[in-house]
Amino acid sequence: MDSKKIQMPREVHIGPDVLEQTGSICKDLRIDGDILVVSGKNTLKIGGKKAIDSLEKENYSVDSVQITEATKQSIEKVDRKLDNISLIIGVGGGKVIDVAKMASTNRDIYFISAPTAASHDGIVSPLASIKDPQGSYSLKAQSPIGVIADTNIIRNAPFKLLVSGCADIVSNYTAVKDWKLAKRLQNENYSESAAALSLMTAKLMITSADAIKPRLEESARLVVKSLFSSGMAISIAGTSRPASGSEHKFSHALDKIAPQPALHGEQCGVGSILMMCLQGGDWEFIRDALKKIKAPTTSKELKIKPEYIIKALTMAHTIRKERYTILGDRGLSKSAAENLAIKTEVI
Ligand SMILES: NC(=O)C1=CN([C@@H]2O[C@H](COP(=O)(O)OP(=O)(O)OC[C@H]3O[C@@H](n4cnc5c(N)ncnc54)[C@H](O)[C@@H]3O)[C@@H](O)[C@H]2O)C=CC1
Ligand SMILES: O=C(CO)COP(=O)(O)O
Ligand SMILES: [Zn+2]
């Protein structure tokens, strides 16, 4: 049998103001040498500066760089800063974390993930979602050596980011169904434990929906822990399969064609309603779960015109062709896409 490698973070710090302990956390992790903080323009102010101050207090020499998109160009921009760097810390949303993760992997440098929002389950995963005009790629990367999730920053982030993280987790339902289908039809590698963890996380998220409230530390902590557990499912599987199927293809298609895409998790949630219906499952259950967490369930709530929803549905199968899903190899015709979106009341 093939051997298998599962990477897990060595230390996970979740709590109010933990970013102010970044320096001592790095000391505990025995990080020696210079550190690069990767963030976005806003997230530098919101979290990056706190990390830098704390590192400098512990006498680390720190450089920083800001990126806006999760692209090859951003990875190259980070790469140009990496001579003599021992550790990269990504302080920001999913895009920042993916770029920092990928740049650290390419150079075999340690990486710490410091999310400023609980908006996606890539916080600990060993994969990076990188985009270019042709599409979106799930690239193998290293897991972070540590996670620093400052719940004071996360609770004060716009509520829609937290809701988006919850919707990304709800979408695990359809992702696992697609994965099972690929196992049956293509004999694809399938992990019972990764699938079970992914589904358990989604179920718990829905059960706790009433506890997800704006500005509450407890809510931020709950969602971070759920994203962590969904990310662990990805780590066990070694692929994003337990958390990304046809609903994610739909979201990646929207990212490509919509003039103003919505948040990743918001789009995946709506995608999950649509794909659950295609899969012959209980799509009303997904819709009601999303409503309970106050996530968008319609094109109007996504603020994306119906024509883009239909277009994304008809092209979703062309994204990540190697990933077999309910969309099959030919995907949906325009009329089938329209019927589906109308039936599920997405348009
Ligand atoms: N590698 C993996 O396994 C996974 C990767 N992803 C990727 O992650 C990305 C989605 O992540 P998102 O965080 O939704 O998108 P994002 O990184 O674009 O962040 C969304 C917005 O929130 C802002 N933001 C972040 N923290 C904030 C705060 N505390 N206050 C105010 N604004 C704040 C950001 O500056 C940005 O404008 C996608 O590219 C997706 O493909 C998603 C899931 C898993
Ligand atoms: O978003 C993900 C899981 O929530 C994984 O992303 P990919 O669809 O890029 O593999
Ligand atoms: Zn996702």
Side-chain angles (χ1 to χ4, degrees), residues 121 168 243 248 264 268:
D121 55 10
D168 202 17
H248 270 64
H264 168 82
C268 293

Side-chain angles (χ1 to χ4, degrees), residues 42-43 46 70 92-96 98 101 116-117 119-122 125 127-129 131 153 157-158 161 164 168 234 252 263-264:
N42 278 334
T43 47
I46 294 165
K95 289 178 185 162
V96 163
D98 277 343
K101 197 190 281 176
T116 54
S119 48
H120 63 95
D121 55 10
S125 75
L127 294 162
S129 298
K131 338 267 170 196
I153 292 182
L161 289 170
S164 183
D168 202 17
I234 299 178
H252 296 316
L263 288 169
H264 168 82

